[in-house]
Amino acid sequence: MAKYNRIVLLGPPGSGKGTQGAILAERMGVREISAGELLRAEVKTGSDLGKEIAARIDNGQLVSADLIVRLMTQAFLAPENANGYISDGFPRSIEQAEMLEKVENTPDFENKKIDLALLIDVPDEYILERILGRTQCAKCGAFYHEKFKPTAIAGVCDVCGGKEFVKRADDTEETVVSRLRVYREATAPLIPYYENKGLLVRVDGTGPIDAVSERIKEIVKY
Ligand SMILES: [Zn+2]
């Protein structure tokens, strides 16, 4: 067993949280549990609950914290996750974290509480640079970064020789700043919250993907 097995990943959008979560889950041999995926899966089953969720999403409403907590804690306790899990995107707010804590205080959760809140720490300027520099070959779809992963010959795709590059429509400074603001208001308060419980560990999220996953390995000791 690793030092930590039930891990909540925290970090701003663009911190590499998704990438690192997938690597960590694979190396630990546990599943990554995502609130968004659980919601989509429930809709697919066509259950009454699934219909309720679909109706809310179609109407542009938020799915209630209560429902998300119910789905996530069910997954945390599922037999296939008995050895641990990585929780991505949950809890997303203090409200959700407090509801989770209540459920964790029930007998079912004995010895099964979250044991680490891992914060992938990156400064805002770094996130902007990382997201705003992303580009993609218009012809073959290969991904590049103007600074971190440039083409071998400037302006020419390494894979197909294409000369046209596109950016994702939502990779603008305005969208990134707005996503960061939402994170700071709703999710960042979880940092002191988990710090107070002695569950928070920070990892430096800057630098190449491999370097960051090595730092995470040192902490989790898998
Ligand atoms: Zn190309």
Side-chain angles (χ1 to χ4, degrees):
M1 286 294 257
K3 182 174 179 193
Y4 302 107
N5 296 288
R6 297 180 173 81
I7 302 172
V8 166
L9 275 186
L10 299 173
S15 62
K17 186 163 62 83
T19 307
Q20 293 300 334
I23 294 173
L24 185 58
E26 199 202 319
R27 294 195 181 159
M28 290 175 72
V30 300
R31 282 172 49 183
E32 219 186 340
I33 307 175
S34 125
E37 258 166 48
L38 286 185
L39 288 170
R40 284 189 289 275
E42 190 67 39
V43 169
K44 258 198 197 154
T45 65
S47 67
D48 286 347
L49 183 59
K51 283 178 192 151
E52 195 188 314
I53 296 168
R56 284 191 155 268
I57 295 174
D58 288 346
N59 293 329
Q61 292 169 294
L62 285 177
V63 178
S64 70
D66 176 63
L67 179 56
I68 291 173
V69 172
R70 208 168 357 134
L71 284 174
M72 288 302 283
T73 50
Q74 262 172 30
F76 289 173
L77 288 180
E80 66 266 31
N81 299 321
N83 292 329
Y85 50 80
I86 312 294
S87 176
D88 181 15
F90 174 84
R92 194 178 283 280
S93 62
I94 294 282
E95 184 196 16
Q96 291 184 0
E98 284 173 345
M99 290 167 88
L100 168 63
E101 203 184 343
K102 259 187 207 151
V103 182
E104 280 189 324
N105 285 328
T106 57
D108 284 351
F109 264 89
E110 212 185 326
N111 302 322
K112 286 178 184 165
K113 291 183 188 180
I114 279 163
D115 53 13
L116 175 68
L118 185 64
L119 171 66
I120 312 218
D121 215 359
V122 280
D124 284 5
E125 314 84 75
Y126 189 84
I127 291 170
L128 274 167
E129 192 178 32
R130 195 185 253 178
I131 294 179
L132 298 182
R134 290 201 289 219
T135 136
Q136 195 178 7
C137 171
K139 204 167 147 196
C140 76
F143 287 100
Y144 297 97
H145 190 285
E146 286 159 3
K147 183 171 169 192
F148 303 119
K149 199 193 168 200
T151 52
I153 304 163
V156 182
C157 175
D158 296 349
V159 181
C160 74
K163 286 181 178 156
E164 226 186 290
F165 294 85
V166 289
K167 283 175 182 281
R168 271 169 42 172
D170 55 353
D171 282 355
T172 64
E173 181 154 358
E174 200 188 350
T175 341
V176 177
V177 167
S178 130
R179 263 148 55 195
L180 284 171
R181 195 180 311 125
V182 171
Y183 167 79
R184 247 192 309 274
E185 281 166 15
T187 310
L190 290 170
I191 298 167
Y193 178 88
Y194 280 117
E195 214 154 33
N196 284 334
K197 295 182 187 307
L199 291 176
L200 190 91
V201 176
R202 290 165 198 269
V203 62
D204 174 8
T206 62
I209 292 173
D210 289 352
V212 179
S213 38
E214 272 308 302
R215 287 176 209 139
I216 292 177
K217 184 179 180 183
E218 286 298 304
I219 293 165
V220 176
K221 302 207 189 302
Y222 56 81

